[in-house]
mmCIF file of all heavy atoms in Angstrom:
data_model
loop_
_atom_site.group_PDB
_atom_site.id
_atom_site.type_symbol
_atom_site.label_atom_id
_atom_site.label_comp_id
_atom_site.label_asym_id
_atom_site.label_seq_id
_atom_site.Cartn_x
_atom_site.Cartn_y
_atom_site.Cartn_z
ATOM 1 N N LYS A 251 -2.288 -15.281 19.066
ATOM 2 C CA LYS A 251 -1.330 -15.904 18.065
ATOM 3 C C LYS A 251 -0.991 -14.793 17.028
ATOM 4 O O LYS A 251 0.158 -14.665 16.649
ATOM 5 C CB LYS A 251 -2.012 -17.107 17.364
ATOM 6 C CG LYS A 251 -2.237 -18.305 18.331
ATOM 7 C CD LYS A 251 -2.770 -19.493 17.629
ATOM 8 C CE LYS A 251 -4.185 -19.417 17.330
ATOM 9 N NZ LYS A 251 -5.073 -19.466 18.530
ATOM 10 N N SER A 252 -1.932 -14.009 16.637
ATOM 11 C CA SER A 252 -1.723 -12.852 15.718
ATOM 12 C C SER A 252 -0.885 -11.777 16.366
ATOM 13 O O SER A 252 0.092 -11.261 15.720
ATOM 14 C CB SER A 252 -3.034 -12.220 15.252
ATOM 15 O OG SER A 252 -3.751 -13.245 14.477
ATOM 16 N N THR A 253 -1.137 -11.529 17.586
ATOM 17 C CA THR A 253 -0.209 -10.513 18.278
ATOM 18 C C THR A 253 1.296 -10.976 18.242
ATOM 19 O O THR A 253 2.191 -10.261 18.072
ATOM 20 C CB THR A 253 -0.716 -10.271 19.748
ATOM 21 O OG1 THR A 253 -2.083 -9.784 19.666
ATOM 22 C CG2 THR A 253 0.187 -9.365 20.483
ATOM 23 N N TYR A 254 1.343 -12.219 18.722
ATOM 24 C CA TYR A 254 2.696 -12.883 18.729
ATOM 25 C C TYR A 254 3.388 -12.764 17.320
ATOM 26 O O TYR A 254 4.591 -12.375 17.275
ATOM 27 C CB TYR A 254 2.602 -14.398 19.067
ATOM 28 C CG TYR A 254 3.944 -15.124 18.900
ATOM 29 C CD1 TYR A 254 4.855 -15.170 19.993
ATOM 30 C CD2 TYR A 254 4.193 -15.787 17.789
ATOM 31 C CE1 TYR A 254 5.987 -15.779 19.860
ATOM 32 C CE2 TYR A 254 5.435 -16.361 17.636
ATOM 33 C CZ TYR A 254 6.340 -16.411 18.721
ATOM 34 O OH TYR A 254 7.494 -17.092 18.536
ATOM 35 N N MET A 255 2.692 -12.984 16.179
ATOM 36 C CA MET A 255 3.348 -12.939 14.899
ATOM 37 C C MET A 255 3.690 -11.558 14.612
ATOM 38 O O MET A 255 4.772 -11.260 13.906
ATOM 39 C CB MET A 255 2.462 -13.520 13.826
ATOM 40 C CG MET A 255 2.263 -15.003 13.919
ATOM 41 S SD MET A 255 3.850 -15.850 13.788
ATOM 42 C CE MET A 255 4.475 -15.268 12.316
ATOM 43 N N ARG A 256 2.862 -10.506 14.954
ATOM 44 C CA ARG A 256 3.256 -9.107 14.660
ATOM 45 C C ARG A 256 4.456 -8.701 15.386
ATOM 46 O O ARG A 256 5.350 -8.044 14.926
ATOM 47 C CB ARG A 256 2.154 -8.253 14.967
ATOM 48 C CG ARG A 256 0.963 -8.397 13.985
ATOM 49 C CD ARG A 256 -0.296 -7.700 14.317
ATOM 50 N NE ARG A 256 -1.360 -7.900 13.491
ATOM 51 C CZ ARG A 256 -2.699 -8.079 13.808
ATOM 52 N NH1 ARG A 256 -3.006 -8.129 15.083
ATOM 53 N NH2 ARG A 256 -3.612 -8.320 12.908
ATOM 54 N N SER A 257 4.667 -9.124 16.691
ATOM 55 C CA SER A 257 5.789 -8.851 17.512
ATOM 56 C C SER A 257 6.974 -9.614 16.928
ATOM 57 O O SER A 257 8.109 -9.101 16.940
ATOM 58 C CB SER A 257 5.455 -9.172 18.969
ATOM 59 O OG SER A 257 4.501 -8.415 19.530
ATOM 60 N N LEU A 258 6.744 -10.772 16.571
ATOM 61 C CA LEU A 258 7.974 -11.573 15.864
ATOM 62 C C LEU A 258 8.482 -10.865 14.708
ATOM 63 O O LEU A 258 9.700 -10.603 14.504
ATOM 64 C CB LEU A 258 7.468 -12.991 15.644
ATOM 65 C CG LEU A 258 8.540 -13.893 14.847
ATOM 66 C CD1 LEU A 258 9.707 -14.151 15.845
ATOM 67 C CD2 LEU A 258 7.934 -15.189 14.388
ATOM 68 N N ALA A 259 7.550 -10.365 13.755
ATOM 69 C CA ALA A 259 7.999 -9.782 12.538
ATOM 70 C C ALA A 259 8.680 -8.496 12.855
ATOM 71 O O ALA A 259 9.609 -8.042 12.227
ATOM 72 C CB ALA A 259 6.754 -9.504 11.645
ATOM 73 N N LYS A 260 8.119 -7.657 13.850
ATOM 74 C CA LYS A 260 8.844 -6.495 14.201
ATOM 75 C C LYS A 260 10.146 -6.686 14.688
ATOM 76 O O LYS A 260 11.037 -5.919 14.361
ATOM 77 C CB LYS A 260 7.917 -5.753 15.297
ATOM 78 C CG LYS A 260 8.444 -4.353 15.663
ATOM 79 C CD LYS A 260 7.463 -3.603 16.546
ATOM 80 C CE LYS A 260 8.089 -2.244 16.872
ATOM 81 N NZ LYS A 260 7.133 -1.352 17.630
ATOM 82 N N SER A 261 10.320 -7.717 15.670
ATOM 83 C CA SER A 261 11.666 -7.915 16.178
ATOM 84 C C SER A 261 12.554 -8.405 15.170
ATOM 85 O O SER A 261 13.845 -8.293 15.252
ATOM 86 C CB SER A 261 11.544 -8.816 17.483
ATOM 87 O OG SER A 261 10.807 -8.189 18.476
ATOM 88 N N ALA A 262 12.125 -9.308 14.230
ATOM 89 C CA ALA A 262 12.858 -9.827 13.175
ATOM 90 C C ALA A 262 13.217 -8.870 12.121
ATOM 91 O O ALA A 262 14.008 -9.124 11.199
ATOM 92 C CB ALA A 262 12.262 -11.075 12.612
ATOM 93 N N GLU A 263 12.501 -7.675 12.134
ATOM 94 C CA GLU A 263 12.664 -6.672 11.103
ATOM 95 C C GLU A 263 12.411 -7.216 9.659
ATOM 96 O O GLU A 263 13.098 -7.053 8.730
ATOM 97 C CB GLU A 263 14.033 -5.955 11.124
ATOM 98 C CG GLU A 263 14.339 -5.348 12.427
ATOM 99 C CD GLU A 263 15.669 -4.658 12.516
ATOM 100 O OE1 GLU A 263 16.440 -4.707 11.478
ATOM 101 O OE2 GLU A 263 16.186 -4.207 13.598
ATOM 102 N N LEU A 264 11.240 -7.932 9.571
ATOM 103 C CA LEU A 264 10.918 -8.571 8.278
ATOM 104 C C LEU A 264 9.411 -8.350 8.061
ATOM 105 O O LEU A 264 8.637 -8.221 9.031
ATOM 106 C CB LEU A 264 11.053 -10.167 8.356
ATOM 107 C CG LEU A 264 12.454 -10.618 8.413
ATOM 108 C CD1 LEU A 264 12.465 -12.173 8.651
ATOM 109 C CD2 LEU A 264 13.248 -10.219 7.273
ATOM 110 N N PRO A 265 8.974 -8.261 6.800
ATOM 111 C CA PRO A 265 7.634 -8.019 6.453
ATOM 112 C C PRO A 265 6.745 -9.318 6.777
ATOM 113 O O PRO A 265 7.324 -10.367 6.619
ATOM 114 C CB PRO A 265 7.544 -7.777 4.945
ATOM 115 C CG PRO A 265 8.904 -8.314 4.462
ATOM 116 C CD PRO A 265 9.802 -8.160 5.621
ATOM 117 N N LEU A 266 5.611 -9.099 7.218
ATOM 118 C CA LEU A 266 4.695 -10.216 7.538
ATOM 119 C C LEU A 266 3.513 -10.293 6.560
ATOM 120 O O LEU A 266 2.745 -9.292 6.539
ATOM 121 C CB LEU A 266 4.154 -9.927 8.969
ATOM 122 C CG LEU A 266 3.129 -10.951 9.527
ATOM 123 C CD1 LEU A 266 3.790 -12.389 9.632
ATOM 124 C CD2 LEU A 266 2.529 -10.601 10.815
ATOM 125 N N PHE A 267 3.488 -11.352 5.927
ATOM 126 C CA PHE A 267 2.320 -11.643 4.889
ATOM 127 C C PHE A 267 1.334 -12.630 5.555
ATOM 128 O O PHE A 267 1.775 -13.682 6.022
ATOM 129 C CB PHE A 267 2.851 -12.192 3.710
ATOM 130 C CG PHE A 267 3.731 -11.130 2.834
ATOM 131 C CD1 PHE A 267 5.003 -10.855 3.227
ATOM 132 C CD2 PHE A 267 3.129 -10.524 1.826
ATOM 133 C CE1 PHE A 267 5.731 -9.971 2.549
ATOM 134 C CE2 PHE A 267 3.856 -9.586 0.977
ATOM 135 C CZ PHE A 267 5.148 -9.316 1.422
ATOM 136 N N VAL A 268 0.091 -12.244 5.751
ATOM 137 C CA VAL A 268 -0.879 -12.945 6.390
ATOM 138 C C VAL A 268 -2.057 -13.475 5.574
ATOM 139 O O VAL A 268 -2.570 -12.693 4.759
ATOM 140 C CB VAL A 268 -1.486 -12.101 7.593
ATOM 141 C CG1 VAL A 268 -2.554 -13.015 8.457
ATOM 142 C CG2 VAL A 268 -0.379 -11.603 8.459
ATOM 143 N N SER A 269 -2.508 -14.679 5.697
ATOM 144 C CA SER A 269 -3.589 -15.190 5.042
ATOM 145 C C SER A 269 -4.257 -16.381 5.885
ATOM 146 O O SER A 269 -3.738 -16.762 6.767
ATOM 147 C CB SER A 269 -3.285 -15.644 3.620
ATOM 148 O OG SER A 269 -4.479 -15.897 2.864
ATOM 149 N N SER A 270 -5.324 -16.810 5.394
ATOM 150 C CA SER A 270 -6.098 -17.941 6.013
ATOM 151 C C SER A 270 -7.038 -18.520 4.926
ATOM 152 O O SER A 270 -7.238 -17.896 3.875
ATOM 153 C CB SER A 270 -6.895 -17.455 7.208
ATOM 154 O OG SER A 270 -7.932 -16.515 6.881
ATOM 155 N N VAL A 271 -7.663 -19.593 5.345
ATOM 156 C CA VAL A 271 -8.643 -20.177 4.386
ATOM 157 C C VAL A 271 -9.744 -19.148 4.131
ATOM 158 O O VAL A 271 -10.228 -18.949 3.035
ATOM 159 C CB VAL A 271 -9.197 -21.471 4.940
ATOM 160 C CG1 VAL A 271 -10.314 -21.993 4.055
ATOM 161 C CG2 VAL A 271 -8.107 -22.565 5.114
ATOM 162 N N GLY A 272 -10.224 -18.491 5.221
ATOM 163 C CA GLY A 272 -11.289 -17.498 5.121
ATOM 164 C C GLY A 272 -10.911 -16.335 4.151
ATOM 165 O O GLY A 272 -11.599 -15.937 3.379
ATOM 166 N N THR A 273 -9.641 -15.932 4.347
ATOM 167 C CA THR A 273 -9.136 -14.863 3.549
ATOM 168 C C THR A 273 -9.081 -15.207 2.124
ATOM 169 O O THR A 273 -9.363 -14.454 1.251
ATOM 170 C CB THR A 273 -7.860 -14.335 4.035
ATOM 171 O OG1 THR A 273 -7.930 -13.949 5.315
ATOM 172 C CG2 THR A 273 -7.218 -13.192 3.211
#
Side-chain angles (χ1 to χ4, degrees):
K251 296 184 282 290
S252 295
T253 297
Y254 171 88
M255 288 305 303
R256 290 172 184 139
S257 293
L258 177 67
K260 181 172 185 174
S261 297
E263 299 180 5
L264 294 176
L266 175 64
F267 291 76
V268 182
S269 191
S270 65
V271 175
T273 301

